[in-house]
Amino acid sequence: MSDLQELYQSVILDHNRSPRNFGPLDGATGTADGKNPLCGDQVSVAVRLEGDRLDAVRFTGSGCAISKASASLMTAAVQGKTREEVESLFHRFHALVTGTLPPAEMTKEQLGQLIVFSGVSRYPIRVKCASLAWHTLRAALADDATTSAMPVTTE
Amino acid sequence: MTTSLIAEGTTAHASLAPRHDFPLLAEQPALRYLDSAATSQKPQVVLDALTGFYATANANPHRGAYALSAAATDAYHAARATIARFLGAADPETLVFTRGTTEAMNLVANAWGAAHVQAGDEIVVTALEHHANFIPWQQLAKRTGATFRIVELTADQRIDLDHLASLLSSRTRVVAITHVSNAVGAITPVHEVVRLVRAHTNALLVLDGAQGAPHLPVAFDTLGVDFYAFSGHKMLGPMGIGGVIGTRARWAECQPWQFGGDMIEWVHDQDSTWNVLPYRFEAGTPNAADAVGLAAGVQYLAALDMAAVRAHELALLDYAHARLADVEGLHIFGPPPAERSGVLSFALADVHPHDLATILDEHGVCIRAGHHCAQPLMRRLGVSATARASLYVYTDARDIDALVDALVHARRIFGATS
């Protein structure tokens, strides 16, 4: 598989074409907006927490295939997880796309469908595309109804 | 169609300037550099001029009473004269050096604008402007309480001259317009703009030549505008040097905007007096080395002949249009090639420009993907970004062919629907 084929795997192209969990979220308990000012990508993530568990998460926005697919696959991956589980998955994902994840952990068991982002690490300037939605999700989880979260950027 | 063009052996296939004159391109024969609107590659003569200055004439100009400083001063003055002549200004002292167009526009907005624009006045720009010719005026309007007006565009992103005419009045104090759009390449009909502005206003007329001076013949003295700004690094020169040419009458209306060494006549305890043009607006140690480098760059361009540069880009644009017609789902922004500089700004079906740039990079094709520092234009196009391929004197048909092949590949990867 060439670098380019690994970057643009069919799962990524599919989620780019038909993003899952795309649209507004009823009864959101937290929201955040993320932007990559240099390229104009933007994503809004809305979460609904039940206690410590992520009951629902949806997103809206526009951007390149990597950023859209990342947001889409992220929403599928974190649904039903606790904050702590989300946080740990974020760190694993971040290590994957920055190329610092030990090969032994680069498995479908550890990463689920997120493993399709393994090709990103070979394109350092695209790391921010893949990580924008995740940074925004973390801000949305830190958001509560009384304060509005700071805009997120990956720059 | 492609085959017949090749068979006819059109001149579009050769570059105007030999690729081996440009060390970076010579070193990387497979590189297809199509981002000259962002910055041009540099010929060896420019690099030689830079090192030549530092190796033989390096001293602080205008300072020392010794021969070496005089040599540096002479080199700096000679560079000014060469660049002024290239841009058609008979009086070299009306050329003030800056870091580039951005600093030049900030200079004019501050040095002229701050003293002459007040509440109730109107400042007119267009929706085509690069942020460098937009924000300085937007913020001047905000500071002074002037009204900021934006000329809208035709369906193919040319300045709507009727709309421009409708915005002009005795209240108009500044009209700031791009000579050539960096984002879509549309060439402004300068004579028509000058005629309209002079007929309806006494406004200051400023032209952003960042994409004009590198690609079109420019004759400042017959252009009829008050200021013309340019960037050296887009016209074969080094980064960090550019300038603005103005009429003596308009320079006389300007106040110094940066203070320090070189720009003074005399400094008293409580006030100071100013040096003459152009030094009055060049505070601090001048960027003499880069000015000398740029002078070598414009001499290289003059030898190619700017009319030939334009003809070369036009021929390549026509060739590119013919070849790109085969790429399904491709939309090219901007007016037809005859009214466009060497810029191909495009969208490929629903493939995002950043994905295009990554795929093209894999083919060795360098393009720009983004908002091109023209967010007002992107809003009007209804996109967050476009992909932009831009041409110059060293571009040849192989560059265009590689672009087309890479776009076809991108389409295949994305199975794009148009």
Side-chain angles (χ1 to χ4, degrees), chain A residues 3-57:
Chain A
D3 285 357
L4 213 50
Q5 281 167 334
E6 191 176 349
L7 182 67
Y8 291 112
Q9 297 185 29
S10 57
V11 174
I12 289 180
L13 295 174
D14 171 50
H15 278 256
N16 171 50
R17 174 79 34 88
S18 324
R20 322 293 198 268
N21 303 308
F22 188 84
L25 175 65
D26 290 335
T29 54
T31 60
D33 295 329
K35 277 191 174 70
N36 277 332
L38 278 185
C39 63
D41 286 0
Q42 44 191 342
V43 64
S44 299
V45 174
V47 297
R48 191 169 64 221
L49 280 164
E50 260 192 28
D52 196 41
R53 197 166 287 280
L54 195 48
D55 174 49
V57 51

Side-chain angles (χ1 to χ4, degrees), chain A residues 6-7 9 11-12 15 65-74 93 96-98 113-122 129-130 134:
Chain A
E6 191 176 349
L7 182 67
Q9 297 185 29
V11 174
I12 289 180
H15 278 256
I66 304 300
S67 75
K68 246 159 87 183
S70 175
S72 175
L73 281 154
M74 175 192 78
F93 176 79
L96 173 75
V97 296
T98 52
Q113 274 209 301
L114 298 179
I115 195 150
V116 298
F117 291 99
S118 60
V120 172
S121 66
R122 244 155 294 159
C129 313
W134 285 87

Side-chain angles (χ1 to χ4, degrees), chain A residues 3-4 7-8 13 16-17 37-41 62-66 123 126, chain B residues 350 352 354-356 358-359 362 370-371 375 384-385 409 413-417:
Chain A
D3 285 357
L4 213 50
L7 182 67
Y8 291 112
L13 295 174
N16 171 50
R17 174 79 34 88
L38 278 185
C39 63
D41 286 0
S62 63
C64 63
I66 304 300
Y123 296 87
R126 303 305 297 276
Chain B
D350 51 5
H352 195 280
H354 291 118
D355 296 313
L356 278 182
T358 295
I359 296 167
E362 210 80 350
H371 54 60
Q375 287 181 351
S384 63
H409 185 208
I413 288 177
F414 273 78
T417 53

